[in-house]
Amino acid sequence: MLRIPFFGLLTPRSPMEGLVEHYDKIAGCVKIIKESLECYVSGGGACREFQELAREIDQIENHADKIKRNIRNHLPRSLFMAVDKTLFLNYTKSQDNILDSAQDALQWLGMRQVVIPEGFQKDLIFLIDEVGSATELLGPALKATIAFVHGEILDREGTKEKYRAVRHQRYQIQRAKRELTIKIYNSDLDFKDIYQLIHFVDCLDNMGHNCENCADILRAMIAR
């Protein structure tokens, strides 16, 4: 539900701008996950840098939680929100879930040492790249939505196209995840290795799922 775009006249900073600050933490997380996986694979699951990168993810997630709480604790009355407050709160939750899933992914990977077979290494890197693309596409979708609800741009169709790009990327992630899951289940790996890798893949997929949720909520924000 689009509200009257006069919020900026009444308060020096829109709460929606805080979402961009929170989003920037997510973009940093995906890069670290990729570095972590490359480190994990090259070190046979035992590289020292992996533990450092995992701690870095924890720090980013904690910082992002503070940003989220600050946004939620300083919301203006519903009348002065640029968008419906419920949609706004749902969006912050879905965006935060992306980070939570990133943190879960590394926790699963770091739970015990797994020597990842060469046959899966490229597929895992490819899946992370697909998830990274989804999070990158979410940034322009969020910024276009903020500009639209604040009356800075009027290109509704162009803004909706950015949501479609996120949804399409989610489809690519689902396809990559399905193919990789089949490979892992049909491998000769130990059951514990299979269980651990499948959960890691599921967490990456959840990141893509929450990117799509975010796009859907942004779409609802500009609905007529």
Side-chain angles (χ1 to χ4, degrees):
M1 179 187 295
L2 185 60
R3 303 295 180 85
I4 300 171
F6 63 178
F7 181 85
L9 301 175
L10 304 174
T11 185
R13 188 170 186 267
S14 164
M16 294 198 74
E17 293 172 7
L19 296 179
V20 176
E21 186 181 358
H22 185 265
Y23 164 80
D24 288 341
K25 298 298 175 189
I26 295 171
C29 254
V30 175
K31 183 180 176 185
I32 292 174
I33 286 184
K34 187 173 181 182
E35 288 178 11
S36 302
L37 182 60
E38 289 173 346
C39 169
Y40 192 94
V41 169
S42 62
C47 66
R48 181 179 58 83
E49 291 81 0
F50 175 80
Q51 299 301 332
E52 294 173 357
L53 290 166
R55 281 194 292 272
E56 194 174 338
I57 286 275
D58 289 341
Q59 291 170 356
I60 291 175
E61 203 278 333
N62 288 337
H63 189 189
D65 274 347
K66 289 179 183 174
I67 295 172
K68 181 187 71 175
R69 285 195 296 272
N70 185 57
I71 295 171
R72 290 183 166 217
N73 291 339
H74 294 88
L75 287 180
R77 291 176 181 273
S78 294
L79 177 64
F80 301 116
M81 289 286 291
V83 297
D84 179 83
K85 185 177 278 189
T86 301
L87 287 176
F88 182 88
L89 293 173
N90 286 341
Y91 182 86
T92 59
K93 184 175 187 339
S94 289
Q95 188 166 274
D96 198 57
N97 285 344
I98 300 172
L99 273 173
D100 289 343
S101 295
Q103 192 177 29
D104 289 343
L106 285 197
Q107 285 177 353
W108 270 103
L109 199 59
M111 204 164 286
R112 53 185 282 277
Q113 294 180 19
V114 176
V115 178
I116 300 177
E118 285 187 14
F120 300 156
Q121 293 175 7
K122 286 185 179 176
D123 293 317
L124 282 168
I125 297 291
F126 176 72
L127 180 59
I128 290 176
D129 283 341
E130 296 287 15
V131 172
S133 295
T135 58
E136 286 174 7
L137 290 168
L138 182 59
L142 171 62
K143 290 168 186 173
T145 304
I146 293 172
F148 188 84
V149 299
H150 287 167
E152 296 165 4
I153 62 169
L154 300 175
D155 185 8
R156 181 187 294 272
E157 191 56 37
T159 304
K160 287 163 65 175
E161 191 57 40
K162 291 180 170 52
Y163 310 146
R164 294 187 192 107
V166 176
R167 292 193 198 102
H168 175 72
Q169 189 57 33
R170 163 63 174 151
Y171 169 74
Q172 298 294 101
I173 293 169
Q174 284 180 303
R175 191 167 65 174
K177 178 220 173 179
R178 185 165 51 248
E179 291 174 359
L180 180 54
T181 301
I182 290 171
K183 277 188 181 181
I184 294 173
Y185 266 125
N186 286 285
S187 71
D188 295 327
L189 286 172
D190 179 79
F191 173 76
K192 288 194 291 186
D193 293 346
I194 290 175
Y195 189 83
Q196 192 169 346
L197 287 179
I198 289 295
H199 272 278
F200 175 68
V201 169
D202 281 344
C203 291
L204 295 177
D205 181 58
N206 283 338
M207 292 177 70
H209 175 65
N210 281 297
C211 283
E212 184 182 39
N213 282 347
C214 286
D216 289 344
I217 296 169
L218 291 175
R219 173 65 184 89
M221 287 180 181
I222 69 163
R224 292 183 186 278

